[in-house]
Amino acid sequence: MTLNGLLNTGLLGVYTNKIAMSVVAHNISNSNTQGFSRQSPVIVTTNPINLTTIGSGGAALSFGTGSTVSDIQRVRDEFLDLQFRETSSRLNYWENIYSNVHYIEQLFGEPGETGLRNMYDSYWASIEELKTDPSNEAAKTQVVSRAEELVNTMKDLNYRLEQLKNDINNEIKIRIDEINGYLKRIADLNQKILTSSSISGSPNDLLDERDRLLDKLSELSNIRITSHSNGQISLSMGDKVVLNGSSYQEIRSLTIAETNDEYYAYVGNNPLTFDDGKMAALFELRDEIIPSYQQQLDEFGLYLVDTTNLIYKEGWDSTGTITGANFFADISTKRGFENSRFFRIAGNSDVFHPDTIQYVTSLSSFYSDPSIDLNNFDLYTVDSAASPSHYNNNNSIIHDSTNNAIYFDDTSGFQDKLLVDIEGDFLREYGFPTKEIKAYKIDPDNVQPGNLEFEIFGEDCNISFSDAGELVSNINSDSKDYLKAEEIDGFIYILPTTKIPDADLDTIVLNDVDGSLSQMEAQKVTLDALDTSKPTLNNLLGSNEKIEMSINGIRIEINPLKDTAYDLVDKINATNTGVTASVTPHGSFVLRAGNLIDFDLKNVTIKGPEKLFNALGFIEEDSNNIVTLISPDISPEQIDEKFSEADLLKIDNELGIVNQISVSSNLKENPSLLATDLGYYDINYSPTGAGNVSVWDEISKMYDNSVLDNGRVGFSNFLGNIVTDIGVKGETADKMRLNSEMLNSEISLEKERVMGVSIDEEMTNLVKYQQAFNASARVITAVNQMMETVINNLGVV
């Protein structure tokens, strides 16, 4: 190699190491720059030359010509970039879910004195206090006040949830604008990168800036990046390509009609769905999580109002005037039926008191006919219209071998009389439903002349007697049919009739003027009577023939011989179709729509015998045909016509039903009007008296009765489930957030280890390149001296 060639090699070494030191200096100066990737010079050898020289003995040798910097590359791991962006999306998703669910948990105020559950418990406590003293006006006022507090708490909670949803909706628009800003800058960088790449080597700083923006973008949404050979990238969100090279599609934030100005993301005319990141969390919070709690709040309020009102309006106030009014104000929709939901239907018949209670079925099974002789048992019928008589109608006990059952079939009916088992050895033994009644038992030998008085419902009764015969006959004639007496097996029994509410002898307070009861050593005994308060459905249908109804194709088999209205309720609720059933205290059969069918009975198809739906009080026709009671195809006009006699409740389509709830204005103005008495049945329902609290006895059962969540839970547990669900969701989000944070942090550390600038390492490189630079310079000096020797001294003697 010539001296000039050797000089060139040394010069290239100087330039190469100078460039390398420039790269090191750039790394050091950007050691704290966010998103900067350390750079490394790519030093390669220059092309060798093949020469034959004198020193090589005539052989051709390959001489190296030095080094050069072919490129300056970023030190970066694309796989780590991909993992970092994926975990960053996940982390931001769970951070937003957790923070907002935690805020919702605070809104519910659990545990706390101002939380919804505490307000509900306070309302229920006021009911229990009223039940202890129904004449206390302060207790009535407290029930109304606590109910109003509960309603206001529900409204305030719904308002705050709605405000949170609005805040998130506004943030969605802001974040869409932020995404568009990132897309615009990335597209601009793509153009600069393309231009720079065509002129020079790798535009590392531009690539770093683009990667930094992609990292920011990954916090908002999951992104998919496709790299091209010319340094350009394509970018996808969801199933949409939003950027390709230097062109991008702006994401539009548009509102849709009838969505309360909620923003949705569109690319062109197509909706964009975010699968991860902050945007996915915001949309999920606004469209799913918050509305789910609002819907549960609506469900709680809706069922609270409707179940309370259906019970309450069957009661009498302290004046004995049936109110027929609601405890809570009407929440039915004020819009047209087309824009509402068909929530509830209540029948207009009393399933507990058909025209005749002819059939009473034993609860036990009998696989063979027990051949009962009623003459062997002390069964007596107590009727307000006649004296007690021995019940010995053997033809009334029927054995049904198909159903393995025995039952009473008495055409005279049991609805206005008691069938009393004096010895208690028949009804229970043969498994018939029983109830306990009180009676006076007197030894005829102890009867002495005397006088008994009592007052009931404003009527005064005075019964005088001189002996046992007169005691029996005068009670039967002078007690105005509230009491009946009969001598049975050597004892006189004074028995209540159905004219007394629930045949409760304690309702009558006998005024023993002459101390006759004490002198006669009268005993108050407890007897079994046939319980006809839950008549089997054959009393309504007039037949023992099995029938079927169906809800959305799920068959419900009904055995009228054995099934009561309560059994039908249980069977309907067990279908888990979203249709729930119940019965009011006065026997109105109720069907409601649950959350599975969006609180709209029109979302199911109910079929069955027309005579069953007629017996339940839903429709007027009573043929034996199988008909469709409700289906999605039924028109509003058909519903109004078909159920003209039933009680319907139609509600608004939108969330926010709790905003319509309030305690009746009449009760707020005058709590003393509060109804307390459901009365008793004697041909018709009649008030029992101001001291009766049966209205609130029934309402208080709602605390645990499974009516909410498609018939699964009661009111108390429903609120507990909401709080539990929020807590579990928050805890899950927190755990996932911490897991994502840990994983993202580990990947970030590894990413920083690869791409980050180490001052120690760069100083080592600086020294290395400096020494190489010095050595290359020394080569040039040496060559220079050699050339001087050749020029100035070679050949000189």
Side-chain angles (χ1 to χ4, degrees), residues 682-699:
D682 177 23
I683 302 177
N684 292 304
Y685 286 99
S686 303
T688 305
N692 189 293
V693 291
S694 49
V695 166
W696 297 99
D697 281 335
E698 290 296 324
I699 290 176

Side-chain angles (χ1 to χ4, degrees), residues 588-599:
S588 179
F589 200 89
V590 180
L591 292 179
R592 293 187 181 91
N595 57 49
L596 277 178
I597 53 175
D598 192 30
F599 309 107

Side-chain angles (χ1 to χ4, degrees), residues 568-743:
L568 180 56
V569 165
D570 292 339
K571 290 182 177 183
I572 291 174
N573 292 341
T575 61
N576 196 30
T577 55
V579 177
T580 60
S582 61
V583 186
T584 69
H586 285 182
S588 179
F589 200 89
V590 180
L591 292 179
R592 293 187 181 91
N595 57 49
L596 277 178
I597 53 175
D598 192 30
F599 309 107
D600 192 349
L601 289 172
K602 298 195 301 294
N603 290 330
V604 295
T605 299
I606 301 177
K607 295 183 179 181
E610 194 171 52
K611 63 180 180 181
L612 172 65
F613 299 140
N614 170 269
L616 297 178
F618 294 152
I619 57 178
E620 295 299 304
E621 293 77 7
D622 61 350
S623 73
N624 290 319
N625 297 330
I626 302 298
V627 298
T628 299
L629 181 71
I630 300 171
S631 76
D633 298 327
I634 192 169
S635 68
E637 293 76 19
Q638 289 173 319
I639 289 179
D640 286 336
E641 181 181 354
K642 177 180 286 190
F643 304 117
S644 58
E645 299 299 321
D647 182 5
L648 309 183
L649 177 58
K650 306 166 192 175
I651 60 174
D652 288 337
N653 274 322
E654 296 83 8
L655 292 172
I657 293 174
V658 292
N659 294 326
Q660 304 174 34
I661 300 175
S662 64
V663 177
S664 167
S665 57
N666 289 336
L667 289 176
K668 286 191 287 187
E669 294 171 2
N670 190 358
S672 63
L673 295 175
L674 193 71
T676 59
D677 176 24
L678 284 173
Y680 71 100
Y681 188 83
D682 177 23
I683 302 177
N684 292 304
Y685 286 99
S686 303
T688 305
N692 189 293
V693 291
S694 49
V695 166
W696 297 99
D697 281 335
E698 290 296 324
I699 290 176
S700 64
K701 293 177 183 177
M702 291 162 46
Y703 192 84
D704 294 313
N705 279 359
S706 298
V707 294
L708 290 153
D709 194 16
N710 305 293
R712 294 189 184 96
V713 296
F715 283 87
S716 178
N717 288 336
F718 186 79
L719 287 178
N721 289 349
I722 294 177
V723 175
T724 301
D725 178 71
I726 296 173
V728 170
K729 196 182 295 294
E731 184 179 4
T732 300
D734 190 31
K735 289 179 179 178
M736 295 302 296
R737 176 183 67 88
L738 292 174
N739 289 341
S740 299
E741 186 177 41
M742 181 178 65
L743 184 58

